[in-house]
PDB file of all heavy atoms in Angstrom:
ATOM      1  N   ALA A   1     -69.681 -49.290   2.975  1.00 76.00           N
ATOM      2  CA  ALA A   1     -69.830 -48.949   1.594  1.00 76.00           C
ATOM      3  C   ALA A   1     -68.847 -47.822   1.311  1.00 76.00           C
ATOM      4  O   ALA A   1     -68.790 -46.803   2.024  1.00 76.00           O
ATOM      5  CB  ALA A   1     -71.255 -48.472   1.296  1.00 76.00           C
ATOM      6  N   PRO A   2     -68.111 -47.914   0.210  1.00 75.00           N
ATOM      7  CA  PRO A   2     -67.124 -46.886  -0.105  1.00 75.00           C
ATOM      8  C   PRO A   2     -67.842 -45.608  -0.526  1.00 75.00           C
ATOM      9  O   PRO A   2     -68.956 -45.686  -1.110  1.00 75.00           O
ATOM     10  CB  PRO A   2     -66.315 -47.481  -1.250  1.00 75.00           C
ATOM     11  CG  PRO A   2     -67.176 -48.550  -1.827  1.00 75.00           C
ATOM     12  CD  PRO A   2     -68.062 -49.045  -0.700  1.00 75.00           C
ATOM     13  N   ARG A   3     -67.227 -44.491  -0.248  1.00 71.00           N
ATOM     14  CA  ARG A   3     -67.775 -43.196  -0.645  1.00 71.00           C
ATOM     15  C   ARG A   3     -66.697 -42.370  -1.310  1.00 71.00           C
ATOM     16  O   ARG A   3     -65.534 -42.479  -1.040  1.00 71.00           O
ATOM     17  CB  ARG A   3     -68.216 -42.428   0.623  1.00 71.00           C
ATOM     18  CG  ARG A   3     -69.454 -43.071   1.257  1.00 71.00           C
ATOM     19  CD  ARG A   3     -69.919 -42.184   2.440  1.00 71.00           C
ATOM     20  NE  ARG A   3     -68.900 -41.805   3.332  1.00 71.00           N
ATOM     21  CZ  ARG A   3     -68.569 -42.473   4.479  1.00 71.00           C
ATOM     22  NH1 ARG A   3     -69.233 -43.546   4.776  1.00 71.00           N
ATOM     23  NH2 ARG A   3     -67.602 -42.055   5.242  1.00 71.00           N
ATOM     24  N   VAL A   4     -67.120 -41.488  -2.242  1.00 69.00           N
ATOM     25  CA  VAL A   4     -66.191 -40.621  -2.886  1.00 69.00           C
ATOM     26  C   VAL A   4     -65.660 -39.631  -1.915  1.00 69.00           C
ATOM     27  O   VAL A   4     -66.467 -38.902  -1.242  1.00 69.00           O
ATOM     28  CB  VAL A   4     -66.877 -39.935  -4.126  1.00 69.00           C
ATOM     29  CG1 VAL A   4     -65.894 -38.925  -4.752  1.00 69.00           C
ATOM     30  CG2 VAL A   4     -67.322 -40.924  -5.091  1.00 69.00           C
ATOM     31  N   GLY A   5     -64.343 -39.557  -1.793  1.00 65.00           N
ATOM     32  CA  GLY A   5     -63.692 -38.546  -0.886  1.00 65.00           C
ATOM     33  C   GLY A   5     -63.488 -37.231  -1.620  1.00 65.00           C
ATOM     34  O   GLY A   5     -63.402 -37.177  -2.819  1.00 65.00           O
ATOM     35  N   ARG A   6     -63.421 -36.196  -0.845  1.00 69.00           N
ATOM     36  CA  ARG A   6     -63.059 -34.843  -1.359  1.00 69.00           C
ATOM     37  C   ARG A   6     -61.888 -34.339  -0.524  1.00 69.00           C
ATOM     38  O   ARG A   6     -62.029 -33.389   0.272  1.00 69.00           O
ATOM     39  CB  ARG A   6     -64.298 -33.926  -1.260  1.00 69.00           C
ATOM     40  CG  ARG A   6     -65.526 -34.439  -1.891  1.00 69.00           C
ATOM     41  CD  ARG A   6     -65.511 -34.329  -3.389  1.00 69.00           C
ATOM     42  NE  ARG A   6     -66.803 -34.745  -3.959  1.00 69.00           N
ATOM     43  CZ  ARG A   6     -66.914 -35.414  -5.045  1.00 69.00           C
ATOM     44  NH1 ARG A   6     -65.877 -35.699  -5.788  1.00 69.00           N
ATOM     45  NH2 ARG A   6     -68.098 -35.769  -5.491  1.00 69.00           N
ATOM     46  N   PRO A   7     -60.681 -34.943  -0.724  1.00 63.00           N
ATOM     47  CA  PRO A   7     -59.577 -34.565   0.104  1.00 63.00           C
ATOM     48  C   PRO A   7     -59.064 -33.142  -0.301  1.00 63.00           C
ATOM     49  O   PRO A   7     -59.265 -32.706  -1.408  1.00 63.00           O
ATOM     50  CB  PRO A   7     -58.517 -35.621  -0.249  1.00 63.00           C
ATOM     51  CG  PRO A   7     -58.860 -36.078  -1.576  1.00 63.00           C
ATOM     52  CD  PRO A   7     -60.396 -36.008  -1.630  1.00 63.00           C
ATOM     53  N   ASP A   8     -58.448 -32.480   0.704  1.00 64.00           N
ATOM     54  CA  ASP A   8     -57.877 -31.183   0.410  1.00 64.00           C
ATOM     55  C   ASP A   8     -56.592 -31.369  -0.463  1.00 64.00           C
ATOM     56  O   ASP A   8     -56.113 -32.518  -0.636  1.00 64.00           O
ATOM     57  CB  ASP A   8     -57.583 -30.364   1.646  1.00 64.00           C
ATOM     58  CG  ASP A   8     -56.528 -30.969   2.565  1.00 64.00           C
ATOM     59  OD1 ASP A   8     -55.588 -31.640   2.009  1.00 64.00           O
ATOM     60  OD2 ASP A   8     -56.638 -30.829   3.752  1.00 64.00           O
ATOM     61  N   GLY A   9     -56.080 -30.317  -0.966  1.00 65.00           N
ATOM     62  CA  GLY A   9     -54.943 -30.405  -1.869  1.00 65.00           C
ATOM     63  C   GLY A   9     -53.674 -30.992  -1.288  1.00 65.00           C
ATOM     64  O   GLY A   9     -52.808 -31.446  -2.044  1.00 65.00           O
ATOM     65  N   GLU A  10     -53.555 -31.049   0.028  1.00 67.00           N
ATOM     66  CA  GLU A  10     -52.363 -31.579   0.664  1.00 67.00           C
ATOM     67  C   GLU A  10     -52.477 -33.084   1.073  1.00 67.00           C
ATOM     68  O   GLU A  10     -51.497 -33.707   1.340  1.00 67.00           O
ATOM     69  CB  GLU A  10     -52.098 -30.774   1.935  1.00 67.00           C
ATOM     70  CG  GLU A  10     -52.090 -29.291   1.654  1.00 67.00           C
ATOM     71  CD  GLU A  10     -50.779 -28.642   2.062  1.00 67.00           C
ATOM     72  OE1 GLU A  10     -49.969 -29.331   2.721  1.00 67.00           O
ATOM     73  OE2 GLU A  10     -50.612 -27.445   1.761  1.00 67.00           O
ATOM     74  N   ALA A  11     -53.682 -33.616   0.988  1.00 56.00           N
ATOM     75  CA  ALA A  11     -53.867 -35.046   1.320  1.00 56.00           C
ATOM     76  C   ALA A  11     -53.156 -35.955   0.332  1.00 56.00           C
ATOM     77  O   ALA A  11     -53.136 -35.674  -0.856  1.00 56.00           O
ATOM     78  CB  ALA A  11     -55.362 -35.347   1.381  1.00 56.00           C
ATOM     79  N   GLU A  12     -52.554 -37.014   0.898  1.00 58.00           N
ATOM     80  CA  GLU A  12     -51.812 -37.955   0.057  1.00 58.00           C
ATOM     81  C   GLU A  12     -52.673 -39.114  -0.395  1.00 58.00           C
ATOM     82  O   GLU A  12     -52.221 -39.954  -1.191  1.00 58.00           O
ATOM     83  CB  GLU A  12     -50.605 -38.449   0.833  1.00 58.00           C
ATOM     84  CG  GLU A  12     -49.553 -37.405   1.061  1.00 58.00           C
ATOM     85  CD  GLU A  12     -48.354 -37.903   1.778  1.00 58.00           C
ATOM     86  OE1 GLU A  12     -48.189 -39.157   1.868  1.00 58.00           O
ATOM     87  OE2 GLU A  12     -47.563 -37.074   2.227  1.00 58.00           O
ATOM     88  N   SER A  13     -53.910 -39.236   0.076  1.00 60.00           N
ATOM     89  CA  SER A  13     -54.790 -40.314  -0.359  1.00 60.00           C
ATOM     90  C   SER A  13     -56.216 -39.834  -0.370  1.00 60.00           C
ATOM     91  O   SER A  13     -56.501 -38.688  -0.054  1.00 60.00           O
ATOM     92  CB  SER A  13     -54.621 -41.525   0.569  1.00 60.00           C
ATOM     93  OG  SER A  13     -55.040 -41.135   1.893  1.00 60.00           O
ATOM     94  N   GLY A  14     -57.115 -40.689  -0.729  1.00 58.00           N
ATOM     95  CA  GLY A  14     -58.519 -40.367  -0.705  1.00 58.00           C
ATOM     96  C   GLY A  14     -59.132 -39.935  -2.034  1.00 58.00           C
ATOM     97  O   GLY A  14     -60.255 -39.486  -2.074  1.00 58.00           O
ATOM     98  N   ARG A  15     -58.385 -40.116  -3.116  1.00 70.00           N
ATOM     99  CA  ARG A  15     -58.893 -39.661  -4.440  1.00 70.00           C
ATOM    100  C   ARG A  15     -59.291 -40.848  -5.360  1.00 70.00           C
ATOM    101  O   ARG A  15     -59.705 -40.609  -6.454  1.00 70.00           O
ATOM    102  CB  ARG A  15     -57.819 -38.878  -5.129  1.00 70.00           C
ATOM    103  CG  ARG A  15     -57.596 -37.532  -4.455  1.00 70.00           C
ATOM    104  CD  ARG A  15     -56.439 -36.772  -5.147  1.00 70.00           C
ATOM    105  NE  ARG A  15     -56.198 -35.523  -4.480  1.00 70.00           N
ATOM    106  CZ  ARG A  15     -55.452 -35.339  -3.366  1.00 70.00           C
ATOM    107  NH1 ARG A  15     -54.848 -36.403  -2.879  1.00 70.00           N
ATOM    108  NH2 ARG A  15     -55.281 -34.173  -2.794  1.00 70.00           N
ATOM    109  N   GLY A  16     -59.177 -42.091  -4.873  1.00 81.00           N
ATOM    110  CA  GLY A  16     -59.427 -43.225  -5.744  1.00 81.00           C
ATOM    111  C   GLY A  16     -60.824 -43.248  -6.317  1.00 81.00           C
ATOM    112  O   GLY A  16     -60.964 -43.349  -7.561  1.00 81.00           O
ATOM    113  N   LEU A  17     -61.830 -43.160  -5.540  1.00 88.00           N
ATOM    114  CA  LEU A  17     -63.181 -43.174  -6.099  1.00 88.00           C
ATOM    115  C   LEU A  17     -63.544 -41.910  -6.811  1.00 88.00           C
ATOM    116  O   LEU A  17     -64.430 -41.957  -7.690  1.00 88.00           O
ATOM    117  CB  LEU A  17     -64.206 -43.511  -4.979  1.00 88.00           C
ATOM    118  CG  LEU A  17     -64.154 -44.944  -4.456  1.00 88.00           C
ATOM    119  CD1 LEU A  17     -65.126 -45.147  -3.347  1.00 88.00           C
ATOM    120  CD2 LEU A  17     -64.389 -45.948  -5.573  1.00 88.00           C
ATOM    121  N   LEU A  18     -62.888 -40.830  -6.507  1.00 89.00           N
ATOM    122  CA  LEU A  18     -63.109 -39.628  -7.290  1.00 89.00           C
ATOM    123  C   LEU A  18     -62.587 -39.828  -8.727  1.00 89.00           C
ATOM    124  O   LEU A  18     -63.262 -39.464  -9.697  1.00 89.00           O
ATOM    125  CB  LEU A  18     -62.350 -38.428  -6.646  1.00 89.00           C
ATOM    126  CG  LEU A  18     -62.525 -37.103  -7.295  1.00 89.00           C
ATOM    127  CD1 LEU A  18     -63.965 -36.686  -7.302  1.00 89.00           C
ATOM    128  CD2 LEU A  18     -61.730 -36.045  -6.516  1.00 89.00           C
ATOM    129  N   LEU A  19     -61.500 -40.569  -8.912  1.00 92.00           N
ATOM    130  CA  LEU A  19     -61.047 -40.945 -10.216  1.00 92.00           C
ATOM    131  C   LEU A  19     -62.021 -41.880 -10.901  1.00 92.00           C
ATOM    132  O   LEU A  19     -62.309 -41.710 -12.106  1.00 92.00           O
ATOM    133  CB  LEU A  19     -59.657 -41.631 -10.110  1.00 92.00           C
ATOM    134  CG  LEU A  19     -58.493 -40.708  -9.845  1.00 92.00           C
ATOM    135  CD1 LEU A  19     -57.235 -41.581  -9.524  1.00 92.00           C
ATOM    136  CD2 LEU A  19     -58.175 -39.803 -11.010  1.00 92.00           C
ATOM    137  N   VAL A  20     -62.539 -42.857 -10.157  1.00 95.00           N
ATOM    138  CA  VAL A  20     -63.518 -43.825 -10.760  1.00 95.00           C
ATOM    139  C   VAL A  20     -64.710 -43.025 -11.205  1.00 95.00           C
ATOM    140  O   VAL A  20     -65.253 -43.244 -12.281  1.00 95.00           O
ATOM    141  CB  VAL A  20     -63.856 -44.930  -9.729  1.00 95.00           C
ATOM    142  CG1 VAL A  20     -64.965 -45.749 -10.227  1.00 95.00           C
ATOM    143  CG2 VAL A  20     -62.624 -45.793  -9.445  1.00 95.00           C
ATOM    144  N   GLU A  21     -65.221 -42.143 -10.374  1.00 93.00           N
ATOM    145  CA  GLU A  21     -66.400 -41.340 -10.682  1.00 93.00           C
ATOM    146  C   GLU A  21     -66.193 -40.520 -11.968  1.00 93.00           C
ATOM    147  O   GLU A  21     -67.082 -40.344 -12.761  1.00 93.00           O
ATOM    148  CB  GLU A  21     -66.742 -40.418  -9.514  1.00 93.00           C
ATOM    149  CG  GLU A  21     -67.975 -39.578  -9.710  1.00 93.00           C
ATOM    150  CD  GLU A  21     -68.297 -38.736  -8.506  1.00 93.00           C
ATOM    151  OE1 GLU A  21     -67.479 -37.814  -8.213  1.00 93.00           O
ATOM    152  OE2 GLU A  21     -69.276 -39.000  -7.854  1.00 93.00           O
ATOM    153  N   THR A  22     -64.951 -40.040 -12.118  1.00 94.00           N
ATOM    154  CA  THR A  22     -64.600 -39.195 -13.259  1.00 94.00           C
ATOM    155  C   THR A  22     -64.449 -40.002 -14.523  1.00 94.00           C
ATOM    156  O   THR A  22     -64.910 -39.585 -15.620  1.00 94.00           O
ATOM    157  CB  THR A  22     -63.377 -38.401 -12.965  1.00 94.00           C
ATOM    158  OG1 THR A  22     -63.571 -37.548 -11.798  1.00 94.00           O
ATOM    159  CG2 THR A  22     -62.959 -37.500 -14.149  1.00 94.00           C
ATOM    160  N   LEU A  23     -63.805 -41.173 -14.484  1.00 97.00           N
ATOM    161  CA  LEU A  23     -63.413 -41.916 -15.621  1.00 97.00           C
ATOM    162  C   LEU A  23     -64.497 -42.894 -16.163  1.00 97.00           C
ATOM    163  O   LEU A  23     -64.592 -43.129 -17.354  1.00 97.00           O
ATOM    164  CB  LEU A  23     -62.112 -42.682 -15.358  1.00 97.00           C
ATOM    165  CG  LEU A  23     -60.887 -41.884 -15.116  1.00 97.00           C
ATOM    166  CD1 LEU A  23     -59.723 -42.755 -14.692  1.00 97.00           C
ATOM    167  CD2 LEU A  23     -60.522 -40.998 -16.295  1.00 97.00           C
ATOM    168  N   ALA A  24     -65.232 -43.489 -15.239  1.00 97.00           N
ATOM    169  CA  ALA A  24     -66.257 -44.443 -15.624  1.00 97.00           C
ATOM    170  C   ALA A  24     -67.533 -43.780 -16.012  1.00 97.00           C
ATOM    171  O   ALA A  24     -67.828 -42.616 -15.592  1.00 97.00           O
ATOM    172  CB  ALA A  24     -66.558 -45.384 -14.473  1.00 97.00           C
ATOM    173  N   ASP A  25     -68.325 -44.389 -16.906  1.00 98.00           N
ATOM    174  CA  ASP A  25     -69.654 -43.832 -17.234  1.00 98.00           C
ATOM    175  C   ASP A  25     -70.627 -43.954 -16.127  1.00 98.00           C
ATOM    176  O   ASP A  25     -71.435 -43.057 -15.825  1.00 98.00           O
ATOM    177  CB  ASP A  25     -70.184 -44.522 -18.487  1.00 98.00           C
ATOM    178  CG  ASP A  25     -69.382 -44.203 -19.719  1.00 98.00           C
ATOM    179  OD1 ASP A  25     -69.019 -43.026 -19.915  1.00 98.00           O
ATOM    180  OD2 ASP A  25     -69.035 -45.148 -20.441  1.00 98.00           O
ATOM    181  N   LYS A  26     -70.555 -45.058 -15.363  1.00 97.00           N
ATOM    182  CA  LYS A  26     -71.355 -45.346 -14.211  1.00 97.00           C
ATOM    183  C   LYS A  26     -70.489 -46.102 -13.242  1.00 97.00           C
ATOM    184  O   LYS A  26     -69.595 -46.876 -13.630  1.00 97.00           O
ATOM    185  CB  LYS A  26     -72.592 -46.181 -14.520  1.00 97.00           C
ATOM    186  CG  LYS A  26     -73.590 -45.579 -15.388  1.00 97.00           C
ATOM    187  CD  LYS A  26     -74.743 -46.552 -15.601  1.00 97.00           C
ATOM    188  CE  LYS A  26     -75.743 -46.100 -16.602  1.00 97.00           C
ATOM    189  NZ  LYS A  26     -76.741 -47.111 -16.830  1.00 97.00           N
ATOM    190  N   TRP A  27     -70.795 -46.044 -11.966  1.00 96.00           N
ATOM    191  CA  TRP A  27     -70.183 -46.836 -10.960  1.00 96.00           C
ATOM    192  C   TRP A  27     -71.130 -46.972  -9.771  1.00 96.00           C
ATOM    193  O   TRP A  27     -72.026 -46.166  -9.627  1.00 96.00           O
ATOM    194  CB  TRP A  27     -68.826 -46.352 -10.542  1.00 96.00           C
ATOM    195  CG  TRP A  27     -68.796 -45.264  -9.554  1.00 96.00           C
ATOM    196  CD1 TRP A  27     -69.022 -43.903  -9.805  1.00 96.00           C
ATOM    197  CD2 TRP A  27     -68.714 -45.394  -8.142  1.00 96.00           C
ATOM    198  NE1 TRP A  27     -69.011 -43.213  -8.634  1.00 96.00           N
ATOM    199  CE2 TRP A  27     -68.790 -44.064  -7.586  1.00 96.00           C
ATOM    200  CE3 TRP A  27     -68.524 -46.455  -7.273  1.00 96.00           C
ATOM    201  CZ2 TRP A  27     -68.717 -43.851  -6.221  1.00 96.00           C
ATOM    202  CZ3 TRP A  27     -68.426 -46.221  -5.923  1.00 96.00           C
ATOM    203  CH2 TRP A  27     -68.516 -44.907  -5.386  1.00 96.00           C
TER     204      TRP A  27
END
């Protein structure tokens, strides 16, 4: 099951579901 990542500022990936969580009303 995918999980929302909380990458540090230097990470090049891991923000996809954080964007989904922010932009969608529900997911």
Side-chain angles (χ1 to χ4, degrees):
R3 292 184 310 266
V4 175
R6 305 284 184 217
D8 65 34
E10 308 236 352
E12 293 183 11
S13 64
R15 292 177 181 83
L17 288 177
L18 184 58
L19 286 169
V20 172
E21 181 179 69
T22 300
L23 297 173
D25 294 314
K26 293 181 189 177
W27 80 278

